[in-house]
Amino acid sequence: MAPNLFVGVRTLFKPQTWFCHKAHPKRNTSIGRLEHWDSPIPGTYEYIPGRGWYLVATDSPSSIKKRQPVNYCQITKKWVLQSDFEQRSHFAIVEVSPGKQKRMGFF
């Protein structure tokens, strides 16, 4: 029994969907785009939709173990590696109103 009446009726009245022998060529599953940047580190960067930019490979012979995320710093108006950004910024808990505290970042 089909999980849905529509699926069952569609399968019953469309016999061309019963057997599928067409070999489909492999599609390019990479939906991100690659770009070469000169800063913060010269190399190849990849954009992954919904996740942001990542450093994939550098121009120098040093190897990268994994993708490194890149953040845009609105203070310096530059792209900075996330590890450098966290190293430069400081966080503190500030009392916004009586009884309410908020974690604020200082660069």
Side-chain angles (χ1 to χ4, degrees):
M1 178 97 184
N4 187 344
L5 185 61
F6 173 72
V7 174
V9 171
R10 183 182 65 188
T11 306
L12 182 66
F13 289 106
K14 291 184 87 178
Q16 64 268 22
T17 61
W18 293 351
F19 305 103
C20 185
H21 293 291
K22 292 182 181 178
H24 298 287
K26 270 193 167 180
R27 296 180 186 172
N28 185 6
T29 57
S30 175
I31 55 176
R33 65 177 192 257
L34 295 173
E35 291 184 7
H36 185 273
W37 293 359
D38 292 329
S39 67
I41 296 175
T44 305
Y45 292 81
E46 179 182 15
Y47 177 74
I48 301 173
R51 293 177 59 194
W53 287 97
Y54 289 86
L55 175 64
V56 179
T58 59
D59 292 344
S60 63
S62 66
S63 63
I64 296 178
K65 305 285 187 248
K66 61 179 184 174
R67 293 180 176 160
Q68 295 182 3
V70 181
N71 293 340
Y72 183 73
C73 180
Q74 294 179 350
I75 297 168
T76 59
K77 298 192 178 10
K78 293 181 181 178
W79 288 94
V80 183
L81 291 175
Q82 185 174 0
S83 58
D84 292 342
F85 183 78
E86 290 174 355
Q87 189 176 30
R88 292 180 183 188
S89 59
H90 303 282
F91 294 96
I93 297 175
V94 178
E95 190 169 342
V96 179
S97 63
K100 281 197 151 194
Q101 295 181 347
K102 189 174 183 182
R103 185 174 183 247
M104 302 275 239
F106 300 96
F107 193 73

